[in-house]
Amino acid sequence: MFVSLEGAWALIFGVSSGIGKETARALADAGCNIIGVHFDLAEGQQQAEQYAKTLGETGVEAHFFNRNVAAKQSREELIPVIGDLTSGTGPRVVLHSVAYGTLTSLLPAPGGGPGVTAKQLTMTVEVMGHSLAYWTQDLLKALLLPRGAKVFAMTSVGGTRVLPGYAPVSAAKAVLEAHVRQLAVELAPWGVAVNAIRAGTTITPALRKIPGSEKVIAHCREVNPGGRLTLAEDVADAIVTLSSTDSSWLTGNVIGVDGGEALVV
C-alpha cells in the first residue's frame, strides 16, 4: 500500500551535493521534512545553509548540520536533536549518500603515486562504509527507526569491479553493501527495509574527482540503452517511490537505477 510522505521526516547524509542534495529536493516536494548532515568548509557550508532555506520555502522544515558523519561525537550530538525534531518518531527515510574518501591504487604505480596508506584506507572505509552501521545502531537504540522506515545506501558498480584509482572507495562500497544485507536481516523484525541504490554513471562532484572520469562518462553515455547518462533526479525519484510504501518486503537488495547501463557496460 502506498502512503503519503506529507509531514514525515527524512535523514540525509551527504545532503549538500549530488544525489543527496537532489533527493532532499524530491522528498521536500513530496511534503517530507528534511534533516541533513554534510561536511563542508566555509563556502560549501554557506551554500548548504542557503539550500536548506530554499527547501524551507517549499513549506517543509529543513535543518542542516555540518558534521563529520563518521565521528562518534556527531552521533552523540545529533541523535537527541533528531529525536526532538521528529517528536520522538524518528525519520521515515534514511539516505546514506556519503562520498568522502581517498582515490588511489592499493599498490605503488610505476612513475605514479605511492599507493594507499593504512590511514587512508581505514578512513575511506570508515566514512563511506561503516558509518551506515554506526548510525543505524544509534537510531535503533534511541527508538528512532519506526516500523515502515526505509534505509537507503548509495553504492556503485565500483563495489564489484576494478576501476583505476578507485581501490579504497571500491572496498568501502563492498563493505557498505555487506552492511546493507546484514542490516536488512537484523531489522526485519522491526519492519524496517534496508537497500543499496546503485546509480548509473551520474555527473556529480564526486564523480569528477575519480581519475579518468571523462572517459567513463563518454563511454557510459554512448552505451546506455536509454541514450543518456543517469541524472540525480532519476535516483531521487526512485527513492521517493520506494519510500512511499508501508511494505518492508523489498529489502536487502542492490537496486540498479541506471536505465540498464550495468547490463551493457
Side-chain angles (χ1 to χ4, degrees):
M1 181 177 69
F2 285 92
V3 297
S4 172
L5 294 175
E6 190 81 29
W9 286 86
L11 173 61
I12 300 178
F13 302 107
V15 73
S16 62
S17 68
I19 290 170
K21 182 177 181 178
E22 184 58 34
T23 302
R25 181 207 58 77
L27 286 167
D29 286 348
C32 196
N33 302 305
I34 307 297
I35 301 170
V37 182
H38 62 101
F39 193 44
D40 290 292
L41 300 178
E43 182 179 355
Q45 184 173 355
Q46 291 175 1
Q47 293 173 351
E49 290 172 353
Q50 181 57 50
Y51 189 57
K53 292 179 181 178
T54 300
L55 293 178
E57 292 170 357
T58 68
V60 303
E61 292 188 48
H63 306 269
F64 285 11
F65 302 91
N66 194 24
R67 299 287 193 282
N68 177 1
V69 69
K72 181 179 180 181
Q73 182 178 350
S74 298
R75 301 194 304 276
E76 292 174 343
E77 291 176 355
L78 293 182
I79 290 290
V81 174
I82 293 167
D84 290 342
L85 288 172
T86 64
S87 300
T89 63
R92 176 177 178 80
V93 182
V94 178
L95 172 61
H96 186 279
S97 181
V98 181
Y100 184 82
T102 299
L103 292 165
T104 187
S105 59
L106 290 183
L107 304 179
V116 72
T117 66
K119 183 177 180 180
Q120 290 171 330
L121 186 58
T122 299
M123 179 276 292
T124 303
V125 176
E126 190 79 3
V127 173
M128 299 183 70
H130 295 325
S131 63
L132 172 69
Y134 301 147
W135 275 97
T136 306
Q137 286 176 339
D138 287 358
L139 287 168
L140 184 67
K141 183 178 179 180
L143 303 179
L144 294 175
L145 272 181
R147 182 167 291 274
K150 306 293 184 288
V151 179
F152 301 101
M154 293 306 307
T155 189
S156 74
V157 296
T160 56
R161 299 182 186 179
V162 176
L163 301 175
Y166 200 72
V169 178
S170 179
K173 294 300 187 183
V175 166
L176 187 70
E177 292 181 20
H179 288 336
V180 164
R181 292 188 292 271
Q182 191 70 30
L183 289 170
V185 171
E186 294 190 21
L187 286 173
W190 278 269
V192 175
V194 186
N195 289 287
I197 302 293
R198 190 197 66 237
T201 302
T202 309
I203 297 179
T204 64
L207 176 63
R208 292 291 193 189
K209 295 177 182 178
I210 299 174
S213 61
E214 290 301 327
K215 291 184 179 179
V216 173
I217 290 169
H219 173 70
C220 291
R221 181 182 283 117
E222 179 180 353
V223 303
N224 192 298
R228 63 170 175 84
L229 295 176
T230 301
L231 303 176
E233 292 92 329
D234 297 321
V235 183
D237 288 346
I239 291 173
V240 171
T241 300
L242 292 170
S243 299
S244 301
T245 172
D246 269 338
S247 174
S248 61
W249 234 240
L250 179 64
T251 192
N253 303 285
V254 176
I255 302 171
V257 182
D258 63 359
E261 178 183 300
L263 301 176
V264 297
V265 293

